[in-house]
Structures are given as C-alpha cells and as structure tokens.
Amino acid sequence: MPVAGDIALLRFIEDQRGRRERSDPLQGLLATPPRLSPRYFYDSLGSHLFAAITELDEYYPTRLERSIYAGQGEAIARATGQGHTMVDLGAGDCVKAELLLQRLQPAHYVAIDVAGEFLKSSLRRIEARFPQLKITGVAADFSEGLQWPADLACRRPLFFYPGSSIGNFSLPDARALLRSLWQACRQSDEGRGDLLIGVDLLKSAARMQAAYDDALGVTASFNLNMLRHLSHLTGVNFDVRKFRHHAQFNPAKGRMEMWLVSKCAQRMDWQGGSLVLNEGDAILSECSYKYAPDDFRRLLKSSGFQVVQDWFDATHGFMVCHARSDLH
Ligand code: AVJ
C-alpha cells in the first residue's frame, strides 16, 4: 500500500512538538467547574463521529455553510482571487475545502488537523480528485497559536477556517488566535494574506440545542468518546459508562455548552491530581460561541483584519467572512 510520502504531490508533516511541550491534558479537571479541552474530541474515532454529526438533520451548521460555498462560491472566489497558498485549519474530512478548490484554484493546498491519520485519508481523496494540485498535510494543533513549519513556503496565504470552529474559543482566545493568523499573513513572503472564516450565528435556543443533542445520540457518543480518548492518552481510567451527555445553551454567555455528567459518585486519580465527582457533577467539555454578525466583524477588526465582504445562507443562520491582513 502506498504511504502518503510516496505520492508525488502530497507531502505530510507530523508536528512532534506538541507531545512534549503541551500542558497536562487533565490540568483543567482541577478547575471549578472541571473542564477538558475540545481538542481531545479528535482522535480517529472522534473525527469519524464528528463527520457523522455533520450528516445529521439536527446539525444545521454544516448544511448551511455548504450551501454558501455551493451557491456563492463564484462570488467568494472573485473576492479572494486565485493562486493562494490555501491553508485549511482543522481540515478534518476536507469536504468544505473540496467545495471551493475548483473555484479558488490555489497554487498549494495546506491542510492542518490534530488527527493525522484521518487527515491523511481525507487528502488521498482530494488528491484523487485534483491530481494536479500541490498538497501538504500537517498533523498539528494550532489552538494555542499557529506555528508555521519552517521549511514550508507560504506565498499569498489564504487562511480557510470553516465550520465555526472559532466558536470553541472564548472572546480573548479567539482574538489571540485570529491575531496569530494576522501575524502569519504579515510574515508571509509578500507580507499580506487573506482569511475566509465560517461562523455560526445566534438563533433560537431550541434549534441550537437540538443540534448538540441529536435524536440518534451521535453527539452524545462524540462527547463521551473524549473520555475514551483521554484514557488511551493518559492511562487514567475514565469509565465512559459512568457519564452521560448533556448539552445546553447558555444565554448569558451566548454559547452552547456540552457537559459530561457523572451518573454516580466516583473518584479519579492521576499523577497531576485527582477529581472527586458526586452524582450530577459535570465536566465542561466544549463551548461553542454563537455570534451576531456585527460582533464577529468587530472581533476580526480588533485582531487586525480588514473585513472585505460576507455571505449568508438563505436563513441567515450562518455567515462566511472574507477579511484581509491589510487593504490590498
Ligand atoms: C467543530 C467546533 C464547530 O462546535 O459545533 C459538533 C463541534 N460539537 N457537535 C461545534 C461539535 C458538538 C463543532 N465545531
């Protein structure tokens, strides 16, 4: 079987830095309330479960965003231009980029994701469909700032950050991440770059809640899988059966929250600490901030970007923004 490196135009880079330097994944369990980082959703199984979520009737963001790329791709390409280094942040199954590649005609497609093996198989599909496209896969975590691989040229970057994954960050953390993308634009070969970013918008609580608590229980499995992944990663035994999924909209904070609720009294011990949970106590596993269009535009501006244009789906439930590091 060919490995990724054997395929002429597809190159794969593994970022080893994370494993050594990243903080203890269980550190957040010592906070009140205890929390875990959503990055730990995405082992191979978690990436597959997320791909399944995007097929659910209740999970509207993917559908709405796809309708924007499918229906307004031409206008988007006119705004951004072609021939960029298109940097797909959290590429996952690469389906969203796939909807735009034909129109955007990037000179180079760089896909970054924490789940390396999953990304590799997605890129094989992209490669089969676009055999002339220069592709680089990067297995890396950029949630604490983007570190551009030193040996990778970056001409005219177009950072593509779809899926409303920016929603996983609090306002100051989102601003810091966007600022690091702005800096990467400024430090690139021509000193400037573009950003194309998808954002889920505030809507009825019932609609949002259903999207994070689907009837089939796929989101519940996705949430619980984080415990399984962390057990493998840390050796600490989290018993998935002792937790249940809970999702709720927090109106004061404008965010969806996912929780892992303890079904019983239990105690977990590991090298860095311990956690005692009573029945009903819960771990915060994800926040998904929802924006009003103007608030998001303001956030982009406060990160240094110039907002050029934005596009909406027919229901105004989702927005795609195009911004530039400076007016060029
Ligand atoms: C990938 C972070 C955008 O917040 O909607 C889906 C992840 N969580 N269902 C989101 C997710 C529960 C998703 N993001």
Side-chain angles (χ1 to χ4, degrees):
M1 212 177 81
V3 295
D6 292 335
I7 304 168
L9 290 171
L10 174 58
R11 203 181 141 208
F12 208 82
I13 302 169
E14 303 265 356
D15 179 8
Q16 296 298 330
R17 170 184 52 101
R19 240 158 259 153
R20 274 172 278 117
E21 291 173 19
R22 200 177 297 141
S23 48
D24 176 5
L26 303 181
Q27 179 98 38
L29 291 179
L30 305 178
T32 313
R35 64 198 71 192
L36 290 166
S37 165
R39 83 165 67 104
Y40 297 108
F41 285 133
Y42 303 100
D43 61 350
S44 174
L45 176 56
S47 297
H48 279 99
L49 287 168
F50 180 69
I53 286 175
T54 67
E55 306 268 323
L56 294 168
D57 292 337
E58 294 98 326
Y59 195 72
Y60 61 82
T62 310
R63 216 171 31 254
L64 302 189
E65 188 174 23
R66 280 187 199 171
S67 79
I68 297 174
Y69 298 138
Q72 301 176 82
E74 211 180 302
I76 292 172
R78 234 180 292 126
T80 61
Q82 298 181 325
H84 293 273
T85 299
M86 181 177 180
V87 186
D88 193 345
L89 300 163
D93 59 16
C94 303
V95 168
K96 283 158 193 149
E98 202 175 353
L99 288 169
L100 287 175
L101 284 171
Q102 194 73 49
R103 293 222 156 91
L104 293 182
Q105 294 285 322
H108 185 183
Y109 175 55
V110 179
I112 307 179
D113 202 277
V114 277
E117 285 309 311
F118 186 81
L119 177 61
K120 242 182 230 180
S121 63
S122 310
L123 288 178
R124 291 214 182 90
R125 194 190 72 240
I126 297 292
E127 196 195 29
R129 201 177 144 198
F130 300 95
Q132 302 307 317
L133 179 62
K134 181 179 170 194
I135 301 172
T136 304
V138 183
D141 178 18
F142 56 84
S143 61
E144 282 162 12
L146 184 74
Q147 297 245 338
W148 193 256
D151 60 337
L152 194 63
C154 190
R155 281 202 57 240
R156 294 184 58 209
L158 168 67
F159 288 103
F160 180 51
Y161 198 20
S164 199
S165 293
I166 191 70
N168 273 170
F169 298 89
S170 69
L171 203 58
D173 288 354
R175 191 176 290 119
L177 177 63
L178 292 170
R179 186 74 183 169
S180 83
L181 297 180
W182 180 83
Q183 265 155 352
C185 289
R186 304 279 289 198
Q187 286 160 9
S188 68
D189 297 355
E190 291 175 16
R192 58 188 165 87
D194 294 60
L195 171 69
L196 192 63
I197 185 166
V199 195
D200 193 19
L201 303 176
L202 279 164
K203 54 183 64 64
S204 88
R207 184 122 183 268
M208 291 189 285
Q209 207 131 338
Y212 291 80
D213 195 10
D214 62 280
L216 266 179
V218 182
T219 307
S221 301
F222 173 72
N223 194 9
L224 291 162
N225 177 61
M226 184 191 278
L227 295 171
R228 195 196 66 98
H229 179 204
L230 282 168
S231 295
H232 287 197
L233 205 64
T234 64
V236 177
N237 180 34
F238 293 98
D239 186 347
V240 170
R241 289 175 195 279
K242 291 184 177 162
F243 291 87
R244 65 179 168 82
H245 167 68
H246 177 68
Q248 71 178 37
F249 181 62
N250 181 333
K253 297 193 165 156
R255 67 190 196 195
M256 277 302 305
E257 295 172 353
M258 297 218 303
W259 296 85
L260 291 158
V261 185
S262 181
K263 291 190 203 167
C264 58
Q266 56 178 320
R267 179 189 172 103
M268 281 140 294
D269 292 279
W270 67 98
Q271 211 157 41
S274 65
L275 177 65
V276 176
L277 295 173
N278 292 311
E279 185 185 339
D281 287 350
I283 300 168
L284 182 60
S285 56
E286 182 174 50
C287 296
S288 210
Y289 286 83
K290 308 300 173 187
Y291 285 90
D294 267 337
D295 290 338
F296 194 77
R297 293 182 190 115
R298 244 193 302 279
L299 170 61
L300 282 172
K301 285 180 197 149
S302 72
S303 315
F305 282 101
Q306 309 274 339
V307 181
V308 182
Q309 201 176 341
D310 34 51
W311 298 270
F312 297 84
D313 68 287
T315 65
H316 274 239
F318 201 95
M319 169 169 76
V320 172
C321 281
H322 172 221
R324 288 183 167 149
S325 61
D326 56 81
L327 285 180
H328 57 267

